[in-house]
Amino acid sequence: GAGKTLVALRLIYAFDHRTLILVHSRELMKQWRDAIKTTFGIDPGMVGGSFKENWDDVTIASVQTIASRVKRGKIDTIDLNYPVLCADECHHLPSEDTYTVAMLYNSPVRFGLSATPYRVDGREMKIWGAIGDICARITPVDLIRRGYLTEPRFVILDPPYIKMRRTKDWQDAYYDGIVANQYRNQMIVDTARELMRDGHKVYIHVERVEHGEILAIMFDDVPFIHGSSPKKERDEVIRKFAGTELNCLISTLLGEGVDIPAMSAIIMAGGLKTPVGVIQKVGRAL
């Protein structure tokens, strides 16, 4: 919510060289494309994400697409002539694919953007190795005090105890306690409906497709989209949610980076322990 994309575009303009922007999702590719068209008045190149491939002076590329070509030995299909490299959501850099792609380029100018430029697995050194040290830091508290972000209100929902099968498998425990927990799921549905009655646009984030499908059935009138949803359906549902046609959405997709200013409430229906994921999701509604 601080305008990292706009800051990055100012840097791209200042350096005035061919620039590659690395992203991790189709939704972020579209968001960057729209920002570049609005700010610079040009159509950027697009590589990956089911877009028609076009390498240009400013290009947005899917990390997964380039990494796949590297693995298949198809380096000749990758344009390496980019003196400026921008890594969006740079906390992903320590992952194998992202680090491989970042180090594939010999870009003398490289910078990253992230609301959470750290790791819980101790692999921050790979971030610094790929793009350098942190050169500017601003916290959500700073942004709230300066009026750029809204002050959040956190509500912890406490579902009733349920009897679960005895298991040592974390996946089974997750399914029983979260995905198929009817009391917890009903609490999510009731809370979402209450928030909508109060005028909120509500995003329900799930970590598993099966969980989203269960919640969509319980709601009956709230759509669910995920990574395998047809891209036209995904685009249309997100467009309606960003506008005035849809006040609630269940998804696995909008937990990081995506900017929908009208979103005012988030229910984190999944269960993961990483603070990076929690902060990224909370940030969607600030």
Side-chain angles (χ1 to χ4, degrees):
K4 294 188 298 295
T5 301
L6 194 60
V7 172
L9 293 177
R10 182 64 180 86
L11 289 172
I12 291 168
Y13 175 81
F15 284 114
D16 195 24
H17 282 289
R18 298 186 89 230
T19 301
L20 183 70
I21 302 162
L22 298 176
V23 299
H24 290 81
S25 71
R26 188 173 190 275
E27 285 66 38
L28 287 176
M29 289 187 75
K30 289 186 62 184
Q31 191 165 291
W32 271 96
R33 180 193 63 187
D34 294 344
I36 289 169
K37 290 176 72 172
T38 300
T39 306
F40 293 152
I42 62 172
D43 289 313
M46 306 287 282
V47 178
S50 302
F51 293 98
K52 183 178 179 181
E53 182 165 325
N54 174 36
W55 298 88
D56 213 322
D57 287 343
V58 177
T59 297
I60 308 159
S62 161
V63 167
Q64 295 89 334
T65 297
I66 299 181
S68 174
R69 295 183 187 181
V70 172
K71 290 175 183 176
R72 290 180 288 140
K74 295 188 175 183
I75 303 293
D76 57 329
T77 66
I78 304 171
D79 189 341
L80 297 176
N81 182 26
Y82 284 97
V84 179
L85 179 73
C86 171
D88 193 17
E89 305 300 340
C90 64
H91 52 277
H92 288 293
L93 278 166
S95 71
E96 181 179 352
D97 283 353
T98 313
Y99 191 75
T100 296
V101 173
M103 303 310 284
L104 177 69
Y105 284 84
N106 193 28
S107 310
V109 175
R110 43 183 69 215
F111 57 91
L113 314 167
S114 177
T116 52
Y118 48 83
R119 304 278 299 192
V120 295
D121 56 10
R123 294 194 294 168
E124 280 94 346
M125 289 299 288
K126 277 197 164 184
I127 303 177
W128 322 145
I131 56 171
D133 295 333
I134 292 178
C135 60
R137 186 193 299 271
I138 186 169
T139 70
V141 173
D142 296 328
L143 295 167
I144 290 168
R145 287 172 177 167
R146 292 165 63 180
Y148 289 101
L149 300 182
T150 188
E151 185 173 350
R153 180 171 66 94
F154 296 97
V155 177
I156 307 299
L157 303 178
D158 187 17
Y161 169 83
I162 63 165
K163 188 173 182 179
M164 294 167 54
R165 58 182 150 167
R166 291 190 176 187
T167 178
K168 294 183 179 180
D169 187 275
W170 184 85
Q171 303 291 346
D172 291 341
Y174 190 99
Y175 181 85
D176 291 353
I178 293 179
V179 174
N181 186 333
Q182 60 179 329
Y183 301 105
R184 188 177 186 275
N185 286 337
Q186 190 61 54
M187 185 176 287
I188 290 168
V189 172
D190 293 343
T191 302
R193 293 206 181 281
E194 182 179 347
L195 287 166
M196 283 189 281
R197 284 194 296 269
D198 290 341
H200 287 284
K201 187 177 287 286
V202 184
Y203 173 55
I204 302 173
H205 187 85
V206 294
E207 300 294 339
R208 296 192 181 180
V209 171
E210 188 175 9
H211 193 192
E213 291 172 341
I214 291 172
L215 289 172
I217 291 171
M218 293 177 68
F219 274 103
D220 189 42
D221 57 350
V222 174
F224 168 54
I225 57 173
H226 51 88
S228 298
S229 301
K231 62 179 184 296
K232 285 186 178 180
E233 178 189 349
R234 286 165 55 177
D235 292 347
E236 180 64 10
V237 169
I238 292 174
R239 182 193 66 78
K240 289 181 178 180
F241 186 59
T244 59
E245 300 175 60
L246 187 62
N247 288 325
C248 188
L249 172 63
I250 308 164
S251 180
T252 61
L253 299 173
L254 308 187
E256 183 177 280
V258 177
D259 181 25
I260 299 179
M263 188 193 303
S264 58
I266 287 182
I267 298 177
M268 288 188 275
L272 292 177
K273 66 180 182 179
T274 167
V276 172
V278 171
I279 293 168
Q280 286 285 344
K281 295 178 186 72
V282 168
R284 298 315 102 216
L286 295 185

